[in-house]
Amino acid sequence: MKRTLGGLAFILAAGCSPEKPPAQKPAPQVVVLTVAPQTIPYVITFVAQTESSRQVDIVARVSGYLDKIAYREGELVQEGQLLFVLDPKPFRAQLDAARGELRAQQARLATARANLARIKPLADMDAVSRADLDKAQGEHDSANAAVFAAQAKVREQELNLGYTTIESPVTGLASRSAQRQGAFINAQSEGAKLTYVAALDPIWVNFSVSQNQTTKLKDMIEKKQVVAPPNQEFEVEITLSDGAVYPHKGRINFADPSFSQETGSFLVRAELPNPDKALRPGMFVTARVSGATRPNAIVVPQLAVQQGSKGHVVYVVKPDNVAELRPVVVGDYQGDKDIVIVDGLKAGERVVIDGVLQVVPGKPVTIAAPAKK
C-alpha cells in the first residue's frame, strides 16, 4: 500500500512540473541587394518583318515571243545579268527598214541641198524668180526634217531591239518566271510582268509603333525618365525566330508621318546590312530599338519581386534587420533576369533577392553573403 501511494505521489509530482518552452526558430538567412540607382539602356521591342530594300518588277517593254529564260528561277542574280530573251528577228527587220528609210531621206536631203546651192546664186543675180528660191529652200528644209524624223525612227527601233534582251537592274534574288519559253508576251497586258528581282543587301526591317507607345515614350522623355539619343539616332538589333541574334545592327531611316486609320499605329523602317544574304524578304523577326537611356533607374532581380493580391511587392530589410513587405510599381524587364522598379524603392534600401519564400513580414532575418558563382 505504501508502495502504491509512493508511486502515485511521484506521478502527480511529475505532472505538476513546469513544461520547457519550445525552441525558437532561428531567423531565416537571406541575401539582400542594396539599392543603387544607375543609368541603363532603354530598349523597346517590336514584332517586325523584313522587306527587300529594292524590289523591281521585270516587265517586257515590247511584244514578242519569249525565246529564252536565261536564269535559274530563285537564284541570286547579279546586276546586268541576262534574264530573258524575246525573239529579236522582227525587230531587226524593223530596224533595217528604218535605216533604209533614213538613207532615202538623206539622199533626198542631198539633192535638195544641191538644188538650193545652185538656185541661191542665180536668185542673187535675179536670174530666177524669188518663188523658185523659196521652193528650193522649202524642199531643203523639208528633206532635213525628214532625215531628223528618220533618225529618230532608227533610234526607236534600236531601242526596241535592245528591249528584246532583258537584264537584271539590281543584284538580288530572282523569283520564278511568270511566262514559259515560247509564249507570246503582250507588252500592253498584265502578262508583260515576267518576274521580279529583290535586292537583299541592305535589307529593310519594318515594324509598327502604336499611339500608346508613342505617348508613353514622349511622356517619359518630358519627365526626364528617359533620355533620347543625340539626333534621334536609334539603333536597331534583330533576333531571328530561333532566338539567334543577328550579328549586324542598323539604324532607322524612315518613319511614316501619319498614323494608320485602321491600326492606330505608324510604320517605322530600319536598314540593316545583309552581306551574307542570311535575311530574306518576308521573315518575321524581333526588333530591339536602343539608343535611349534611363537615368537614375532602380533595377532588381525578377525573383525578388512577388505578385501580391494588390500588385507587386518586395521584401525590404530595415536597419534593425526586420523584413517589411513593400508594394512597388514595376517597369520594363532589363535583360533576362532583372526588372526596373519605377516606384516604391529608394537608394540605400536593402531588398531581399534570395530566400524570399522563408521571409515573414515583421520578423527578423539574418543577412547572408551571396553564393559565389
Side-chain angles (χ1 to χ4, degrees):
M1 185 65 178
K2 289 181 179 180
R3 184 178 299 173
T4 303
L5 293 174
L8 180 61
F10 176 79
I11 293 172
L12 291 173
C16 294
S17 62
E19 295 183 358
K20 293 182 179 180
Q24 189 174 4
K25 292 183 179 180
Q29 289 191 344
V30 297
V31 178
V32 298
L33 171 71
T34 302
V35 173
Q38 55 185 303
T39 298
I40 61 173
Y42 181 71
V43 181
I44 314 175
T45 303
F46 300 93
V47 176
Q49 191 171 23
T50 58
E51 179 189 1
S52 169
S53 57
R54 187 181 176 193
Q55 181 169 308
V56 183
D57 290 334
I58 307 301
V59 181
R61 297 189 180 187
V62 292
S63 301
Y65 287 95
L66 183 58
D67 258 7
K68 184 180 181 182
I69 301 174
Y71 74 103
R72 290 184 60 185
E73 295 170 300
E75 76 172 359
L76 182 70
V77 297
Q78 302 297 319
E79 182 177 351
Q81 180 176 331
L82 182 64
L83 300 179
F84 299 95
V85 178
L86 299 178
D87 183 9
K89 293 188 290 294
F91 298 95
R92 288 199 186 105
Q94 293 171 13
L95 177 58
D96 290 341
R99 286 171 174 168
E101 177 65 19
L102 174 60
R103 291 178 182 177
Q105 295 302 335
Q106 287 173 336
R108 178 185 166 201
L109 175 61
T111 302
R113 184 181 293 116
N115 188 40
L116 179 61
R118 286 192 300 270
I119 290 180
K120 197 168 185 180
L122 295 174
D124 293 339
M125 294 183 296
D126 294 329
V128 295
S129 66
R130 194 70 185 176
D132 291 335
L133 177 60
D134 292 342
K135 181 180 179 182
Q137 184 67 52
E139 290 176 350
H140 175 270
D141 294 343
S142 177
N144 193 34
V147 168
F148 187 81
Q151 289 173 336
K153 190 67 175 179
V154 168
R155 287 194 295 270
E156 179 186 5
Q157 296 304 327
E158 288 174 341
L159 285 173
N160 289 340
L161 179 60
Y163 291 151
T164 60
T165 57
I166 303 173
E167 300 173 345
S168 175
V170 296
T171 297
L173 288 179
S175 182
R176 67 182 184 88
S177 174
Q179 300 289 346
R180 295 294 98 189
Q181 189 169 320
F184 180 79
I185 310 300
N186 184 351
Q188 306 303 318
S189 70
E190 292 185 0
K193 181 179 176 180
L194 302 177
T195 188
Y196 69 84
V197 178
L200 298 181
D201 187 23
I203 199 161
W204 289 343
V205 176
N206 300 320
F207 53 91
S208 296
V209 180
S210 69
Q211 186 174 352
N212 291 339
Q213 289 172 314
T214 306
T215 303
K216 177 184 175 183
L217 179 59
K218 182 180 179 181
D219 182 62
M220 294 177 72
I221 291 176
E222 290 178 351
K223 293 179 179 179
K224 308 298 183 182
Q225 296 175 347
V226 170
V227 178
N231 302 321
Q232 302 293 318
E233 292 185 356
F234 290 92
E235 192 173 59
V236 178
E237 179 184 65
I238 65 172
T239 304
L240 306 182
S241 58
D242 61 356
V245 177
Y246 185 65
H248 303 284
K249 298 180 180 181
R251 294 191 179 277
I252 293 174
N253 66 349
F254 170 77
D256 202 318
S258 59
F259 285 90
S260 168
Q261 296 182 357
E262 290 78 17
T263 62
S265 60
F266 66 94
L267 178 70
V268 176
R269 185 181 71 205
E271 184 176 283
L272 279 75
N274 189 26
D276 300 326
K277 312 298 186 294
L279 298 179
R280 300 293 182 92
M283 294 173 63
F284 284 97
V285 297
T286 300
R288 292 166 49 85
V289 181
S290 60
T293 56
R294 187 196 290 268
N296 300 317
I298 295 176
V299 180
V300 300
Q302 296 178 28
L303 294 177
V305 182
Q306 305 296 308
Q307 178 68 55
S309 59
K310 296 183 180 180
H312 296 90
V313 295
V314 298
Y315 282 106
V316 176
V317 179
K318 296 188 292 184
D320 58 0
N321 286 351
V322 173
E324 173 192 349
L325 192 63
R326 178 79 60 82
V328 293
V329 178
V330 300
D332 302 320
Y333 291 105
Q334 180 70 16
D336 297 329
K337 298 181 179 180
D338 297 333
I339 192 169
V340 176
I341 303 299
V342 177
D343 190 25
L345 293 176
K346 57 185 178 181
E349 292 187 314
R350 296 179 297 174
V351 178
V352 178
I353 62 173
D354 192 9
V356 176
L357 298 179
Q358 304 175 37
V359 179
V360 178
K363 298 294 184 180
V365 295
T366 301
I367 307 300
K372 294 183 179 180
K373 296 183 180 180

